Amino acid sequence: MSETRIALVTGANKGIGYEIASGLGALGYRVAVGARDGARRESAVEKLRAAGVDAFGVPLEVTEDRSVADAAALIERRAGRVDVLVNNAGISGDTGPGWTQDPTTLDPDLVRTVVETNVIGVIRVTNAMLPLLRRSASPRIVNVSSSVASLTRQADPTIEVGPVMAAYAPSKSFLNAVTVQYARQFTGTNILINAACPGLVATDFTGFQGPRTPEQGAATAIRLATLPDGGPTGSFFEDDGVIPW
Ligand SMILES: NC(=O)c1ccc[n+]([C@@H]2O[C@H](COP(=O)([O-])OP(=O)(O)OC[C@H]3O[C@@H](n4cnc5c(N)ncnc54)[C@H](OP(=O)(O)O)[C@@H]3O)[C@@H](O)[C@H]2O)c1
């Protein structure tokens, strides 16, 4: 088996995903750049290669079975296995004034759309990649979540948790809950799976508002992607440590 480790990052064409791809590339990973738009994908791959990263593009729309199956087939042909999967692709869904999603007026279709990407997309990609991950000596899965998923923090009036986000925040709580179920299912295997919060990062997602750079936002996901055997699993981390559920 080749010594070079293989990482797939979803939504790797920009923002935090791009920086996760870049950071793993700098650590010597061969990076499969998962992105749904051809031009954006190719420009990210070119930029990564120019920085010395061994990168290749993988067309990947996480809400489509066919796209995800084709992505797994492409990675199998190009690399033969996956050592690290970072499920980074995510959306907030439409928001109202002040970047809010008011639960009392929420459009059910908005909830469906957000869950389809942020939760079902992650399950779809993870399960399609599992046969390739199982070929790795030390498979790692990182689900990019958010501290707004923390019910403990959301329910504590003494903690500043930002605006009410009735579709996005629960979608990440759902993702965290699914992460725990995967960790339970992987008990006794060498697969480690965790959720990561990047902090508030200036990207398209936040209208480029936020104190952290995408590179800073990538750090926890990269740490979890490169955990040693016997490291934590089924947990939820930010830079400062574990986030309460
Ligand atoms: N920015 C923050 O402050 C913050 C805080 C907490 C958590 N997060 C999480 O961090 C992750 C990355 O966010 P970001 O800030 O880097 O956002 P971003 O700049 O908007 O990037 C999102 C990425 O996800 C991709 N994507 C969205 N829907 C997709 C789909 N259905 N199929 C494939 N790719 C899809 C986008 O592709 P296109 O370019 O084609 O749209 C893009 O590459 C998300 O999961 C987000 O929830 C962000």
Side-chain angles (χ1 to χ4, degrees):
M1 198 186 280
S2 142
E3 290 295 309
T4 305
R5 286 166 298 172
I6 317 296
L8 168 63
V9 182
T10 71
N13 53 287
K14 67 180 181 182
I16 297 162
Y18 177 86
E19 291 299 337
I20 294 170
S22 172
L24 289 172
L27 292 173
Y29 284 74
R30 185 169 183 217
V31 183
V33 177
R36 56 185 168 178
D37 178 85
R40 289 197 286 273
R41 182 176 61 250
E42 284 321 305
S43 108
V45 168
E46 286 311 309
K47 206 169 136 194
L48 287 164
R49 284 189 184 151
V53 174
D54 181 3
F56 63 98
V58 177
L60 184 54
E61 164 56 67
V62 303
T63 64
E64 288 176 9
D65 288 341
R66 184 74 260 157
S67 172
V68 173
D70 287 350
L74 173 65
I75 295 169
E76 179 166 33
R77 281 196 308 277
R78 293 287 301 265
R81 67 168 199 279
V82 172
D83 297 282
V84 163
L85 167 63
V86 182
N87 287 304
N88 164 78
I91 56 171
S92 62
D94 291 343
T95 56
W99 216 60
T100 58
Q101 289 167 337
D102 178 347
T104 66
T105 55
L106 202 57
D107 179 351
D109 285 337
L110 171 66
V111 180
R112 279 189 203 99
T113 302
V114 173
V115 169
E116 186 63 55
T117 299
N118 293 0
V119 183
I120 299 170
V122 171
I123 295 170
R124 182 181 287 110
V125 172
T126 301
N127 291 352
M129 298 302 158
L130 262 178
L132 299 177
L133 281 156
R134 291 191 196 278
R135 293 179 189 169
S136 168
S138 302
R140 304 290 177 257
I141 303 171
V142 183
N143 292 336
V144 178
S145 183
S146 168
S147 62
V148 302
S150 169
L151 302 180
T152 304
R153 289 187 184 172
Q154 293 281 314
D156 183 341
T158 68
I159 298 177
E160 170 51 48
V161 287
V164 171
M165 289 287 273
Y168 176 67
S171 79
K172 294 293 192 180
S173 306
F174 190 171
L175 174 63
N176 285 356
V178 166
T179 303
V180 172
Q181 297 304 312
Y182 273 104
R184 293 186 57 212
Q185 189 65 34
F186 293 149
T187 302
T189 77
N190 52 1
I191 306 175
L192 303 179
I193 180 167
N194 291 287
C197 173
L200 189 56
V201 178
T203 63
D204 261 346
F205 186 92
T206 52
F208 295 95
Q209 303 298 305
R212 289 163 67 81
T213 65
E215 196 178 351
Q216 289 171 322
T220 293
I222 292 170
R223 184 173 71 76
L224 296 174
T226 56
L227 284 173
D229 288 339
T233 192
S235 195
F236 181 24
F237 293 93
E238 59 190 352
D239 284 1
D240 291 341
V242 172
I243 304 178
W245 301 119

